[in-house]
Amino acid sequence: MARAARHTACGGRGLAGAVIVSSVTQRHLQLDDGTVWVTSLQDGKAARYNVRLQEPDTAVAASDPKFDVAQQGASTVLAEGTQVSAIHPSTISLADSSPTGAAVQSFVANGTLALFNRARGDVWVGDTGDVKALNAAETPAHMKLGVGGLAAVTADGTVYGYRPKDGMVLAIDDRGAPDHVREVGSLSDGKAQSADSFTVVDGQGVISDGDDIIWNGGRATFADAAPLVLQAPSADGKQGAWVAAGAPSGLALVDLTKRGGEARLIASGGQGEPAQPASSGGCVYAAFAQHTNNSVRACSATDDPAYATLEEVTPTSQLQFRVNHRLVVLNDVANGNIWNPDESTDVIKIQWKTIETQQNETERSNDDSTSNKHTFEKTCCYM
C-alpha cells in the first residue's frame, strides 16, 4: 500500500498556486489562491478561474439551465433549479446538496450561507460547511419578509432583510442561532414602502425605489434615472458611509452622512442595463451593457472617475461581477466571457468546451484510495 504523501509549505513568502488533491484530511486550509468562480449559461458550467495565471483550472457542470454561484474564500455554492450544492474546495465535486423547493438566490460570507426565495420573501440561514442541514424545501424560513422583500449579506456574515410592509430592516447576526431576528429600524417610519433593490453599507440599510435612494433619515432623488440597482454590500467591509447604484445612464453616488440627499450621477453618455455594482478595497466597480463607456470605478461619493470601454460588451450582455480573494472579475454569464477591469479592457474568452469538468462526488468516491490522500501539517504557514 502506498504511503500517504506529506506536504509542507513553510518558509516561503509567496505561493503561486495550490496543489489540487483528491482528499484533504484537515479543513484548516484557507488559502488565497487567486481564483474566482465564473459561469457560462450557454455551456452549462461554472469554472474556477485563476486571475493571476490568467486561466481556468477546473469546472463543474450544472444540471439545470438556470444556475449561479456564490463564493467567499474557499467556500463556494452552486444554486440550480430546486437545489443548492457545495463545491468541495479540494475535489471540485458537487457535495452536500440540499433541496430548496423553488429557485433561490444564495449568499456566502464569513462561513454563513443564506438562501433567499424572492417570490415569497423567505430567508434561510446556515453554515457553509453544512449545506445539507439547510433544507429550505421542508423547514420553516428563519426570516419572513413577505412579497417584495429583499435580502443582503455583509462581509462579516450578518444576514439582512428588508420588509416592505413597514419599511423594516431586519438582521440575523449569528448563523448558529438563525431564529434570533432583530429589528434594525424602519426606513419609512413604519409605513409601507416598496423597494426595487436593497443593500447594507457601513451598517446602514439602503433601498432604491424608482428614482429614489432611501436610507434612515435620508433620501436622494435621481430624476429619470430609474431603475436604480444598488451595489452589493462591501465584500471586505472596507467601504465607508456612501453608496453607489447603477442606472441605465451611469453610476449614481450618494453620501449617506448627508441627510439632505445630495445626489451625483456620473453619466456614461449611453443607455445600457447596469450590472449590480460590486465593492472591494473601499471602491465600487460598475459596468453597463453597452458598446462604449461601459466600465467605471469610484472610490468615494465625491469621486469623479473616467469611464473605460471593455472589449466586446454589447447591449445583450448579461453582466455580473464576481468577487473573491480581493479580486474583481466581470462575467457575461450568457456566453462566459470575462474581464479583469483592474488590469485591462481586453476580453478574456475561456475555452468552455474543452475545460475539464470534474466528476461528481459519487463517481469520484469510487476512485479514491489511500494512495491519493494527502495530509497537511497543522502548523504550516500559508499566505
Side-chain angles (χ1 to χ4, degrees):
M1 181 178 296
R3 175 176 292 179
R6 195 172 182 82
H7 296 263
T8 61
C10 294
R13 223 166 157 64
L15 187 60
V19 177
I20 300 176
V21 296
S22 296
S23 64
V24 178
T25 59
Q26 299 293 338
R27 294 188 59 190
H28 69 279
L29 181 60
Q30 294 293 324
L31 179 64
D32 181 354
D33 58 5
T35 61
V36 178
W37 282 88
V38 297
T39 64
S40 171
L41 295 177
Q42 176 178 283
D43 297 280
K45 295 179 182 179
R48 188 175 64 183
Y49 180 76
N50 192 309
V51 177
R52 292 162 187 158
L53 298 180
Q54 300 182 15
E55 61 183 14
D57 57 22
T58 191
V60 295
S63 60
D64 193 271
K66 293 184 179 181
F67 65 95
D68 200 9
V69 293
Q71 59 192 309
Q72 188 192 58
S75 298
T76 309
V77 298
L78 176 74
E80 50 178 343
T82 58
Q83 72 173 15
V84 61
S85 306
I87 301 178
H88 197 284
S90 60
T91 63
I92 315 302
S93 58
L94 297 179
D96 300 330
S97 296
S98 181
T100 59
V104 298
Q105 182 179 4
S106 57
F107 303 88
V108 172
N110 197 32
T112 295
L113 170 63
L115 303 179
F116 174 50
N117 182 323
R118 183 160 186 163
R120 299 199 307 265
D122 289 343
V123 183
W124 292 261
V125 178
D127 194 312
T128 56
D130 193 9
V131 175
K132 282 185 177 179
L134 198 60
N135 188 332
E138 298 180 359
T139 58
H142 299 119
M143 185 187 291
K144 291 182 175 292
L145 304 169
V147 176
L150 297 168
V153 180
T154 52
D156 63 358
T158 302
V159 180
Y160 289 89
Y162 177 73
R163 190 170 63 197
K165 74 173 184 179
D166 56 2
M168 184 63 68
V169 176
L170 306 170
I172 296 174
D173 301 295
D174 183 1
R175 64 178 179 270
D179 293 316
H180 293 172
V181 182
R182 65 180 173 92
E183 293 187 346
V184 178
S186 175
L187 303 183
S188 58
D189 294 326
K191 301 176 183 177
Q193 173 63 63
S194 62
D196 298 324
S197 62
F198 168 64
T199 193
V200 177
V201 179
D202 197 41
Q204 298 190 65
V206 185
I207 61 169
S208 69
D209 182 38
D211 292 333
D212 294 332
I213 292 178
I214 304 167
W215 65 102
N216 187 21
R219 179 186 293 258
T221 300
F222 295 83
D224 302 320
L228 292 165
V229 181
L230 286 167
Q231 66 168 88
S234 171
D236 51 16
K238 293 185 178 181
Q239 186 177 342
W242 61 281
V243 71
S249 56
L251 182 64
L253 302 174
V254 177
D255 185 342
L256 298 177
T257 66
K258 296 184 178 179
R259 300 303 181 188
E262 180 181 348
R264 297 180 64 240
L265 180 68
I266 311 301
S268 69
Q271 287 285 322
E273 183 177 352
Q276 182 182 30
S279 174
S280 180
C283 297
V284 171
Y285 295 74
F288 308 84
Q290 58 194 40
H291 290 294
T292 60
N293 292 344
N294 48 36
S295 176
V296 69
R297 186 184 71 171
C299 296
S300 73
T302 58
D303 206 351
D304 191 18
Y307 278 84
T309 297
L310 303 179
E311 291 181 354
E312 298 193 31
V313 174
T314 72
T316 60
S317 296
Q318 298 178 35
L319 302 176
Q320 188 168 339
F321 282 103
R322 307 294 191 183
V323 184
N324 202 4
H325 298 126
R326 301 184 298 275
L327 300 166
V328 179
V329 170
L330 181 65
N331 184 192
D332 184 343
V333 301
N335 59 21
N337 285 347
I338 61 176
W339 296 262
N340 181 359
D342 279 331
E343 296 293 332
S344 172
T345 58
D346 295 342
V347 63
I348 301 168
K349 296 191 175 185
I350 292 177
Q351 299 302 310
W352 288 96
K353 297 190 184 306
T354 60
I355 185 173
E356 177 188 2
T357 301
Q358 295 296 324
Q359 296 170 288
N360 64 37
E361 183 88 341
T362 302
E363 292 171 333
R364 181 173 292 275
S365 65
N366 294 333
D367 296 334
D368 283 344
S369 68
T370 56
S371 63
N372 59 20
K373 293 184 179 180
H374 301 259
T375 302
F376 291 86
E377 292 287 353
K378 289 185 178 182
T379 56
C380 200
C381 48
Y382 292 95
M383 297 299 290

